[in-house]
Amino acid sequence: MIQTTTATPVVLHSRRLMHGASALAFGALLLAGPAMAQTAAPAADASADQDVTVSDGTAQEVEEVVVTGIRASLRSAQRIKESSDVFVDAVTADDIGALPDRSVTEALQRVPGVSINRFAGANDPDHFSVEGSGVVIRGLNFVRSELNGRDTFSANNGRDLSFADVPSELLGSVEVFKNTSAEMIEGGIGGTVNLNTRKPFDAPGSMVAFTTEVSWGDMRNNLAPTVSLLASDRWETPMGEFGLLLSGVHSELDSRAEGLQSLNYRLSTVDGEDRWTPSGLAFRTQEFDRRRDGIAAAGQWRSNDRKMIATLQYLRSDSQQAWLESAIESVVDDSGNRRPFAGTNWTYNEDGIFTGGAITSIADWRSADPSVPLNGIQHLFVKRGVVQDYVTSDYGFNFKWTPTDRLRFNFDAQYVDSTVDAVDFQLTNSFFAVDVLDLTGDLPSLSLLAPDGSPIDPYLADPANYFWRNAMDHIEQSEGDEYALKADAEYDLDAGWLESVKVGGRFAERDQTTRNSAYNWGVTSEIWNGATGPVWLDQGGVATPRFTGGLDHASPYSFAGMGVPVTAFGYAGNPARSYAETTAFVQSMNAIWGGNGWVPLAARSNVVPGTPFTPGEINSTNEQTAAAYLMVKFNNGAEPVWGQSVAITGNLGVRYVETKISAEGALSFPTANQVFSGTCAAPVGGGELPAFCKLTPEQQAAALAFATGASIPETAEHSYGNWLPSLNVKFGLTPEFLMRFGYSEAIRRSDLGLTRDQVPILPRVVDNDFLGFEAQAGNTFLDPIKSRQFDLSGEWYFAPTGSLTLSLFHKTLEDVITNGFYERSVTNNGQTFDVYVRGPMNSSDEGTVQGLELAYQQFYDFLPGWLSGFGIQANYTYIDSSGVPQENLDAGKANPGGSETAIDTSQLSLEGLSQHNANFTAIYENAKISARLAYSWRSEFLLTTRDEIVPFSPIMSDATGQLDGSLFYSINDRIKVGVQAVNLTNETTKTLQVLDNSLQEAPRSWFRNDRRFSFVVRGTF
């Protein structure tokens, strides 16, 4: 938006007068015509992008053109990119609280080369995330997080910050660095995301700003408020200038997502042809409640001689995420047969993929309880609650001193602490039904029939047809802190091309303890309990005696709102929010069944006393890093004149960093009986001797001596050093056009959860050969992933808010961390064995990631009248990878390696990598109106290499896009009102199951979340 104010001085704001460049860019991309409209214009007709005020040299009132709104934000971001010494893109909020999206994650998806997914976790493709997650830069999830240029993190088993947990209202800008220089903190191979909060010296004087907002989703149909307030001022005193800024935000979001699923495709052969048929279906709803509270404060002081400036900053972010799921899903991990319901047939497409039919299962016997149906598939009504609380507090201090015109010092100190608390509790009841699926449309049609094929409604309306089946709880309680000290000195040289030399060092120490339980599944009651049946909700009209109970804890739930004509009984409460009550209820139902079922986490036999965690679920790590760097900046001092001289600037440097990591854990040895408890007498009737008996007496004695059954605490330690050279060169060919070249070497340390040192050792027997001992564990001795990366760009800045850029990048990766096997030498009781460990390891394979980013933005000021308010921002990214191993790891598990994936995942693209990514934003802005329509799209990508349920197949996310928009109206210079909309096109996010090594795919899930509208009032005074 453009505002005009009266000013008395002569002001010339133009960074450069617009040449024919803007029209050429527009013509190259959209039109070919109006080049003549871009010739230099008189001052009276100067466009907003020129920011020109002209004077005749006498004192007079002139109009100063002040640019605000979207145009100002894009201009600020463009200046950051153009003036940077490295490859960087930015999103800025010129207006207070006006980052263009409602979360940091959603804002990042607009940046070239950045993509996000819409699921709660990469390895959980069944649960949606309405605000996005999983930030990937240039196809890699090796992304560093910073706050005000300092390291920051969330205390989970990863290494970085959860961007969705930071209130976007507290931020002034978000920078995405694509490569590195020697002075930058190491660790971002994919890129580094720096979140910048505001400081009092950012504003020319006192300021008070507020935002009030209420959001509404068309599926959840709830109103949720957001309120933010910022106050800032600065004062001149005899002791120097002081500034103080305080800001706070309370933000709520209530949303809903719905999912339809066809589950667990199984291969069969019919008439000599392969047929892929799902084992069942699922339909689920999730209601999300997100609360974010943030406080930011900053104080600044500057000396009267302007040689010293000190800045003290504080930020506290408290993000609470909760969701409640109600779902019906077929039990697909059973061994029961699947067949068409009597009198029906299944249909398939030309690839042998199921397209429709009624699926049932028939058994000769299921339970000693005769009221258990013999027809139909067992189903679960799942009621699952999740409550998470992420709190991060960051304290930072910076002091800059310029004692001479040439010498500058910088000192920086930081302390950050983070806690994570989570409760995840699921309770199910069960019934039998026939699944009816039609997968031929854009959305599937799913329904149920009673086991005998009759309508489902009367059957499910009777609580006597349900029994309590299982419970599962999960708890996380983690904390971590880090302190860091950094010092830099820079000296300006008078030596031709050598502009300055800069040296510095940094020391950081991070302590973290994560407590992340297993998902503790256990039975409440089941149909296979020997002489009895399960615990039914009600006796009903059943003639035979049965166990019953818990009807007062159940209530009917309708799925009709999502297009599934089913109403079923499920648990009436929220298990996570009423953990103790739900635990007591589950145990009471299990007691009716006879006990020996689910017990809560804290009641497990092997937990650490006073906690719900076993030793293997606790990971305590300490990481120390010490870095030093030397960097030379150069500048040939030439003016960028096409065909005559080239302005060359840049930096050349090297960074050395040493890392020391230690992990507390234990070596747990098997007992002698686990090694061998029988005899070595010849088997009666012949046959092969046991594996242990094939060993020599000496080998047998050594193995038995090693197997003491002891658990020996230990602290595993590992250290390594890395030299990281970098070169960044910027070639100014004209005042508007430049080229960049960058070469750097970078590292990415492993997620902390992968370095855990809990090693449960067991005998290793393969094909009846005793091969020593084995374990499934983490790996403290991991080296960092290394990258050699080249960047090249051409950048045309034809207007202050107009640019056309093309960037090429190539990364060569080595020592990629992947799931595999390694040997670890272990000594116990005087015996040493090389233990064969499955878990994270550094791959010996080398791989590459390469691609390009094309970006364009412009306001079309040359158009006549009101049309001059139109603008476009667009970008496209292409990414390709080759030879980079899949990770296939879960840092949150005691056994990060898990089990083998279902297919050869080396044939698939990297997790999270879309080959094609695009953004297109149409903008309109004038003195009163500011409007934006933004569409973000990405092509198909691998969501996870291993699903969490049978058959543990890779899951792909289909190509998807989302349209968002905003419209604001300026009532006056101080107040704006507007509306923001998310998911205007009601996008369906589809996932696919990868079936086999030919990479054939079948449809698996269809998710939708509500269209959200926010009504906003902003004021600045």
Side-chain angles (χ1 to χ4, degrees):
M1 170 184 8
I2 305 170
Q3 299 174 345
T4 58
T5 61
T6 301
T8 53
V10 177
V11 183
L12 179 63
H13 287 290
S14 180
R15 177 169 54 95
R16 65 173 73 94
L17 292 178
M18 291 180 65
H19 299 173
S22 183
L24 289 174
F26 185 47
L29 292 170
L30 299 174
L31 301 173
M36 59 284 203
Q38 289 292 330
T39 56
D45 298 324
S47 75
D49 268 347
Q50 289 174 290
D51 284 357
V52 178
T53 304
V54 179
S55 171
D56 63 2
T58 61
Q60 59 179 325
E61 288 191 351
V62 299
E63 282 196 327
E64 177 183 350
V65 179
V66 181
V67 181
T68 62
I70 297 174
R71 188 188 296 259
S73 296
L74 295 182
R75 173 177 300 186
S76 299
Q78 179 171 304
R79 285 176 176 169
I80 291 171
K81 180 180 180 72
E82 182 180 6
S83 62
S84 175
D85 292 331
V86 295
F87 290 75
V88 64
D89 286 288
V91 179
T92 68
D94 188 74
D95 293 343
I96 306 300
L99 206 68
D101 292 277
R102 307 322 299 145
S103 75
V104 174
T105 306
E106 290 179 316
L108 284 169
Q109 70 179 321
R110 315 292 180 197
V111 175
V114 180
S115 57
I116 65 173
N117 72 51
R118 297 282 174 182
F119 290 89
N123 62 344
D124 185 7
D126 290 339
H127 297 100
F128 207 67
S129 174
V130 295
E131 287 192 303
S133 63
V135 174
V136 172
I137 300 179
R138 291 179 167 179
L140 298 172
N141 57 13
F142 310 141
V143 178
R144 272 198 72 250
S145 56
E146 292 185 347
L147 179 67
N148 296 315
R150 306 179 182 101
D151 198 26
T152 190
F153 62 92
S154 299
N156 48 30
N157 280 288
R159 178 165 292 278
D160 305 300
L161 182 72
S162 175
F163 295 113
D165 298 336
V166 179
S168 61
E169 294 84 357
L170 297 181
L171 301 180
S173 67
V174 179
E175 298 169 307
V176 180
F177 293 90
K178 309 290 184 64
N179 78 328
T180 64
S181 63
E183 63 185 336
M184 293 175 61
I185 303 172
E186 69 286 339
I189 287 179
T192 296
V193 177
N194 180 35
L195 312 180
N196 291 305
T197 58
R198 298 177 185 273
K199 301 185 291 292
F201 287 176
D202 292 343
S206 63
M207 177 177 61
V208 175
F210 73 88
T211 299
T212 60
E213 174 182 326
V214 62
S215 65
W216 174 82
D218 64 348
M219 290 166 59
R220 185 67 184 276
N221 197 26
N222 276 358
L223 295 176
T226 293
V227 179
S228 66
L229 179 66
L230 179 145
S232 176
D233 205 352
R234 49 197 296 179
W235 307 271
E236 294 281 0
T237 76
M239 294 180 293
E241 184 178 12
F242 289 85
L244 180 64
L245 181 147
L246 298 172
S247 62
V249 60
H250 172 77
S251 175
E252 299 184 13
L253 175 67
D254 296 341
S255 189
R256 178 183 172 103
E258 299 173 345
L260 306 172
Q261 297 179 285
S262 55
L263 301 176
N264 186 5
Y265 284 79
R266 303 186 185 199
L267 178 63
S268 60
T269 302
V270 179
D271 297 329
E273 296 185 2
D274 288 346
R275 294 286 186 264
W276 291 95
T277 308
S279 299
L281 54 72
F283 38 93
R284 54 194 351 114
T285 68
Q286 288 173 268
E287 294 189 345
F288 300 87
D289 298 296
R290 189 265 293 152
R291 307 290 182 269
R292 281 200 295 253
D293 294 295
I295 299 172
Q300 289 186 287
W301 168 82
R302 181 158 46 201
S303 64
N304 287 322
D305 60 6
R306 297 302 194 253
K307 291 186 176 182
M308 290 182 285
I309 182 170
T311 303
L312 183 65
Q313 293 173 285
Y314 169 73
L315 181 137
R316 184 182 190 272
S317 173
D318 183 349
S319 176
Q320 301 176 41
Q321 307 260 3
W323 50 266
L324 179 64
E325 178 183 50
S326 300
I328 287 180
E329 56 187 35
S330 308
V331 176
V332 296
D333 56 356
D334 63 331
S335 58
N337 58 4
R338 294 291 191 268
R339 63 183 64 183
F341 185 75
T344 69
N345 294 301
W346 295 338
T347 58
Y348 297 84
N349 64 16
E350 63 274 12
D351 297 318
I353 307 298
F354 177 91
T355 58
I359 306 173
T360 190
S361 178
I362 300 176
D364 295 327
W365 183 93
R366 278 179 171 162
S367 176
D369 184 342
S371 64
V372 174
L374 297 179
N375 296 331
I377 300 169
Q378 187 174 356
H379 290 70
L380 302 178
F381 188 114
V382 180
K383 184 59 70 73
R384 181 178 179 183
V386 175
V387 178
Q388 302 170 318
D389 191 6
Y390 282 60
V391 179
T392 298
S393 298
D394 189 284
Y395 310 79
F397 174 73
N398 181 267
F399 178 72
K400 293 182 173 67
W401 179 35
T402 307
T404 72
D405 292 341
R406 290 190 174 187
L407 183 60
R408 294 176 293 280
F409 293 103
N410 178 62
F411 172 77
D412 198 88
Q414 179 202 20
Y415 175 76
V416 56
D417 70 81
S418 176
T419 61
V420 174
D421 292 281
V423 175
D424 184 339
F425 202 175
Q426 169 183 298
L427 175 59
T428 77
N429 54 284
S430 194
F431 61 90
F432 288 86
V434 177
D435 292 348
V436 182
L437 300 87
D438 180 355
L439 308 183
T440 57
D442 292 336
L443 285 175
S445 173
L446 306 181
S447 60
L448 300 175
L449 297 173
D452 62 1
S454 62
I456 194 66
D457 288 347
Y459 182 80
L460 292 183
D462 185 356
N465 291 320
Y466 304 80
F467 61 88
W468 298 107
R469 202 252 186 167
N470 70 271
M472 180 176 69
D473 59 340
H474 165 77
I475 295 175
E476 182 176 359
Q477 297 171 359
S478 303
E479 69 270 347
D481 64 5
E482 176 181 277
Y483 72 86
L485 300 172
K486 188 180 76 161
D488 308 272
E490 185 172 11
Y491 184 75
D492 291 339
L493 302 170
D494 187 10
W497 278 52
L498 300 181
E499 186 176 54
S500 68
V501 60
K502 189 173 184 180
V503 297
R506 179 179 182 270
F507 176 82
E509 182 172 6
R510 177 172 172 179
D511 275 302
Q512 182 164 299
T513 299
T514 57
R515 303 173 190 88
N516 196 44
S517 79
Y519 284 85
N520 175 45
W521 188 95
V523 65
T524 306
S525 73
E526 253 292 8
I527 57 177
W528 35 255
N529 183 27
T532 67
V535 179
W536 300 88
L537 273 66
D538 192 28
Q539 178 71 31
V542 178
T544 56
R546 42 170 29 183
F547 293 138
T548 61
L551 180 58
D552 58 335
H553 282 71
S555 63
Y557 184 93
S558 174
F559 294 87
M562 59 182 296
V564 180
V566 170
T567 298
F569 277 87
Y571 184 66
N574 184 327
R577 293 197 182 275
S578 55
Y579 183 88
E581 178 185 341
T582 306
T583 296
F585 171 73
V586 173
Q587 291 185 301
S588 68
M589 294 300 101
N590 182 242
I592 295 173
W593 192 57
N596 297 318
W598 177 85
V599 296
L601 286 162
R604 293 178 296 171
S605 61
N606 57 338
V607 298
V608 176
T611 80
F613 306 102
T614 67
E617 295 166 351
I618 301 174
N619 181 33
S620 295
T621 54
N622 175 274
E623 182 180 84
Q624 299 180 18
T625 61
Y629 73 89
L630 169 66
M631 186 174 75
V632 175
K633 295 183 180 179
F634 51 85
N635 187 337
N636 69 344
E639 292 294 326
V641 180
W642 179 256
Q644 298 181 30
S645 62
V646 177
I648 302 175
T649 61
N651 59 72
L652 172 65
V654 64
R655 185 180 187 90
Y656 177 76
V657 58
E658 187 170 288
T659 305
K660 297 179 180 179
I661 186 167
S662 61
E664 297 178 10
L667 299 173
S668 301
F669 296 92
T671 64
N673 282 340
Q674 287 177 295
V675 173
F676 186 64
S677 59
T679 67
C680 287
V684 178
E688 193 173 5
L689 287 171
F692 180 80
C693 299
K694 298 179 183 180
L695 303 177
T696 66
E698 293 79 10
Q699 291 172 329
Q700 292 178 356
L704 292 174
F706 184 79
T708 61
S711 180
I712 301 175
E714 71 154 10
T715 299
E717 297 180 343
H718 182 48
S719 62
Y720 49 85
N722 298 97
W723 291 93
L724 305 174
S726 60
L727 170 67
N728 292 280
V729 187
K730 184 161 58 175
F731 303 92
L733 304 181
T734 74
E736 293 83 18
F737 185 77
L738 63 87
M739 296 188 68
R740 296 181 195 269
F741 170 79
Y743 172 78
S744 58
E745 296 185 14
I747 62 170
R748 168 69 177 188
R749 302 180 183 95
S750 72
D751 286 343
L752 292 178
L754 302 181
T755 66
R756 66 182 70 238
D757 189 46
Q758 298 287 348
V759 187
I761 301 172
L762 295 171
R764 183 177 183 227
V765 178
V766 178
D767 296 332
N768 200 37
D769 286 328
F770 188 92
L771 301 179
F773 297 89
E774 65 183 3
Q776 295 189 9
N779 186 355
T780 312
F781 307 98
L782 291 168
D783 288 330
I785 304 169
K786 302 177 184 68
S787 175
R788 303 186 303 276
Q789 39 203 42
F790 292 88
D791 294 88
L792 179 67
S793 72
E795 303 172 16
W796 185 16
Y797 299 99
F798 49 80
T801 318
S803 62
L804 177 65
T805 64
L806 174 65
S807 297
L808 309 176
F809 60 89
H810 178 93
K811 301 176 186 287
T812 301
L813 304 179
E814 59 183 65
D815 286 334
V816 173
I817 297 171
T818 187
N819 188 16
F821 298 92
Y822 65 94
E823 290 187 343
R824 178 174 174 180
S825 180
V826 176
T827 299
N828 184 42
N829 196 24
Q831 303 297 322
T832 300
F833 283 84
D834 288 333
V835 177
Y836 188 74
V837 183
R838 179 183 182 85
M841 57 167 288
N842 292 108
S843 172
S844 60
D845 296 332
E846 190 175 89
T848 60
V849 177
Q850 54 276 320
L852 64 85
E853 299 166 352
L854 179 65
Y856 162 71
Q857 68 178 28
Q858 183 177 7
F859 275 90
Y860 303 117
D861 306 288
F862 56 84
L863 295 175
W866 63 272
L867 294 174
S868 63
F870 281 106
I872 284 177
Q873 184 186 31
N875 62 68
Y876 165 77
T877 303
Y878 171 82
I879 309 169
D880 184 42
S881 68
S882 175
V884 182
Q886 301 283 2
E887 185 180 69
N888 295 331
L889 295 165
D890 186 343
K893 292 184 177 180
N895 169 26
S899 56
E900 292 282 356
T901 54
I903 70 167
D904 179 11
T905 59
S906 66
Q907 302 181 77
L908 298 168
S909 61
L910 288 176
E911 276 191 16
L913 187 154
S914 286
Q915 195 167 56
H916 305 281
N917 304 265
N919 287 281
F920 184 87
T921 303
I923 305 164
Y924 183 80
E925 193 164 59
N926 61 25
K928 287 291 186 180
I929 296 174
S930 180
R932 180 185 74 127
L933 276 176
Y935 185 72
S936 182
W937 177 89
R938 62 182 304 189
S939 61
E940 183 183 74
F941 65 96
L942 177 62
L943 188 61
T944 178
T945 57
R946 186 181 186 275
D947 193 6
E948 286 292 295
I949 63 172
V950 173
F952 310 111
S953 297
I955 303 297
M956 305 292 295
S957 179
D958 204 5
T960 184
Q962 182 168 295
L963 180 66
D964 307 325
S966 64
L967 174 64
F968 281 87
Y969 177 77
S970 295
I971 296 176
N972 53 43
D973 292 346
R974 305 293 187 184
I975 303 295
K976 293 181 180 181
V977 296
V979 59
Q980 294 181 307
V982 177
N983 188 29
L984 282 167
T985 54
N986 197 22
E987 179 68 17
T988 298
T989 300
K990 182 179 178 181
T991 69
L992 306 146
Q993 177 185 330
V994 181
L995 301 174
D996 54 23
N997 285 326
S998 70
L999 306 186
Q1000 192 172 16
E1001 297 174 348
R1004 182 183 187 275
S1005 304
W1006 297 258
F1007 286 97
R1008 278 185 174 173
N1009 63 289
D1010 47 8
R1011 288 168 286 198
R1012 305 197 311 272
F1013 300 88
S1014 300
F1015 305 93
V1016 186
V1017 178
R1018 292 185 187 138
T1020 303
F1021 301 91

